């Protein structure tokens, strides 16, 4: 049997709905409730000027909701591919353990052996990468799927293949 | 100018002297003081039957001494190479933040962007790897340096180049 292709999956904005966390914290702070529609095409920092501070709050990562469809599709992908979950986590080190325990709670079929928390993804090798940030996809040597999030809405895909959600990922990879 | 070669450096047993921590905890527990000489050629688990429990104790990683010569040589290597510090950390998640802050204290010239905490190093790509464990070196596609530690003493190098300490690393790579 041929070796499985290695699939690199991002956490924030792909498995974890961190926009919901931004929106909740912004609402508590400002009294204004915005929707994802309201911030389409804006960077995270443009949309939520205090987002870096939110990211440092205890519970930010631990309490993030799961993005629709992620659990079922990742479970199937985990059978078909050699899956690694790779998250940029070093800028906010207090979130390291939160990310570990969040994965353990929501994706118990993913082993700790499959988890990578890093500062830069340039050191990661694989066949396919799913990520919402160009800074990660642009340096990857394999096939690249741009997971739609408000901050990349309307952006030129720059050679990556845009996917609108986990249903589309499933159609493409399963 | 040509791109710098990418150098992957392990933490435990290469930068951090975890044997000193094993020896201290074993001594507190048993009243017996052993030396590194006493456990040459034994696996960590053979030498210290409770070592996995030691690894879970708060402070195990945070308080580990730095291996002789590591700071000066890594500082020079950091100029000459694209350095990433890659540590197997996911089996003991309570040590994730300890490892981050230990690096920040002892190696402030290494940025958080250069740090990777992972379950398996098979996903890491680079040109040179320094590590004390065959399970990491055997899967690496570049040049591999086996950093001598008691557990690999006397073992056949299996194609890797053995280095006895940071002085030898400097002679080889600088």
């Amino acid at each position: 049997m041929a070796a499985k292709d290695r699939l690199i999956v991002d956490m924030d904005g792909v498995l974890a709905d961190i926009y919901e966390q931004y929106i909740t914290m912004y609402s508590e702070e400002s009294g204004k409730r915005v929707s994802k529609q309201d911030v389409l095409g804006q960077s995270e920092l443009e949309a939520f000027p205090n987002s870096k501070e939110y990211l440092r709050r205890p519970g930010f990562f631990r309490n993030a909701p799961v993005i629709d469809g992620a659990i079922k599709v990742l479970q199937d992908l985990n059978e078909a591919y050699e899956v690694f979950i790779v998250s940029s986590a070093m800028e906010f080190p207090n979130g390291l353990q939160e990310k570990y325990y969040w994965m353990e709670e929501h994706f118990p079929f993913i082993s700790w052996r499959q988890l990578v928390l890093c500062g830069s993804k340039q050191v990661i090798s694989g066949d396919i990468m799913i990520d919402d940030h160009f800074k990660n996809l642009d340096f990857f040597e394999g096939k690249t799927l741009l997971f739609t999030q408000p901050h990349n809405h309307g952006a030129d895909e720059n050679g990556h293949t845009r996917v609108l959600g986990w249903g589309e990922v499933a159609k493409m990879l399963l």
Side-chain angles (χ1 to χ4, degrees), chain A residues 24-44:
Chain A
T24 301
M25 292 181 183
Y26 181 73
S27 161
E28 287 168 3
E29 199 172 72
S30 69
K32 282 182 276 186
R33 181 95 197 159
V34 299
S35 74
K36 290 177 190 172
Q37 290 295 324
D38 297 330
V39 297
L40 291 180
Q42 297 178 31
S43 74
E44 291 164 74

Side-chain angles (χ1 to χ4, degrees), chain A residues 6-8 84 121-128 140-141:
Chain A
R6 184 182 297 160
L7 173 63
I8 307 297
F84 284 92
K121 298 189 186 181
Q122 292 186 36
V123 74
I124 302 298
S125 76
D127 301 294
I128 308 170
F140 191 70
E141 81 275 22

